[in-house]
Amino acid sequence: MSDVSRYLPLSQRPRRDESGVTGDWSERLAAVLTSLAALVDGLAPEARAGVHDDLARLVWRLRATRRERATAALSRRSPRALSDDLPALLRAVTTDSARRRPLGDLAAAVITALDVAEATGSPIDIDPVTLGAVAVARALNAPLPIRAVLRDVTLVAIDGDWFVGRGPESRSLGASIVLFLYGRTGLPPAYDGEQEENHG
């Protein structure tokens, strides 16, 4: 397991001081939401309209109670955020310091941020440890076709100290690996040494 495992409770890492391990991902979530809000602020109105529903679903999820989430899951629909000022709502979530955030909330924010970046052709910077934590957790619970691929290949993030899978190594950008794990893209393209030098 890569070094990112030290951030995941109950992972298969060597025994050591566990005092720094937490199930609260609120700080990393706040960082992702701040970057996402800044990205959306810079979008033209038509581009913002194109990603409105994805952002509204994320805002609703992060503001909803467990009971509201359970009710929505049973009815198979997610209510939309009421305000059109979604960047402001994203920033408001980051100030809710009283609420502990599970890894699932962080994963939802990361994949939404990557989806919005892909859809709008806009860059977004997400910390490599954040990407790694989301990737490692997803690899453990991914749909069967994704897990089948991971049995035959090790996807190594060239921009982070983490990897998922088994088998021969294929080196790619961390964001590309996460998008693959969530079924957004096919297997990410492998980077060779020359590409990595240019990337760095």
Side-chain angles (χ1 to χ4, degrees), residues 144-155:
L144 188 58
I146 301 291
R147 283 185 281 138
V149 172
L150 295 179
R151 283 196 292 268
D152 296 326
V153 66
T154 299
L155 299 176

Side-chain angles (χ1 to χ4, degrees), residues 5-189:
S5 65
R6 70 181 180 272
Y7 297 95
L8 300 176
L10 305 178
S11 64
Q12 297 177 345
R13 61 188 185 279
R15 291 186 179 275
R16 62 179 74 167
D17 178 13
E18 300 279 314
S19 60
V21 175
T22 177
D24 182 13
W25 296 87
S26 55
E27 287 186 21
R28 292 191 176 277
L29 174 64
V32 173
L33 295 180
T34 298
S35 294
L36 179 56
L39 186 160
V40 177
D41 276 337
L43 295 178
E46 59 273 16
R48 188 182 292 200
V51 296
H52 179 276
D53 286 353
D54 286 342
L55 294 168
R57 276 191 292 272
L58 175 64
V59 167
W60 179 85
R61 176 196 169 114
L62 296 176
R63 297 174 76 194
T65 64
R66 286 185 184 178
R67 185 173 191 169
E68 288 170 335
R69 290 186 193 185
T71 301
L74 288 173
S75 64
R76 299 186 180 214
R77 61 186 175 83
S78 294
R80 299 290 188 257
L82 297 179
S83 171
D84 282 335
D85 191 358
L86 292 172
L89 292 178
L90 290 169
R91 290 186 176 96
V93 172
T94 69
T95 63
D96 186 5
S97 58
R99 187 167 175 179
R100 290 170 59 85
R101 294 293 181 175
L103 185 54
D105 283 357
L106 178 64
V110 166
I111 195 61
T112 299
L114 294 177
D115 282 345
V116 170
E118 286 285 307
T120 61
S122 305
I124 190 164
D125 185 31
I126 300 177
D127 181 76
V129 171
T130 296
L131 286 173
V134 169
V136 170
R138 176 65 173 177
L140 296 173
N141 299 294
L144 188 58
I146 301 291
R147 283 185 281 138
V149 172
L150 295 179
R151 283 196 292 268
D152 296 326
V153 66
T154 299
L155 299 176
V156 180
I158 66 169
D159 49 355
D161 186 21
W162 58 269
F163 60 87
V164 292
R166 292 172 279 182
E169 289 188 359
S170 178
R171 304 174 69 80
S172 300
L173 293 171
S176 298
I177 295 172
V178 172
L179 287 169
F180 164 71
L181 293 173
Y182 277 85
R184 299 314 203 258
T185 63
L187 196 63

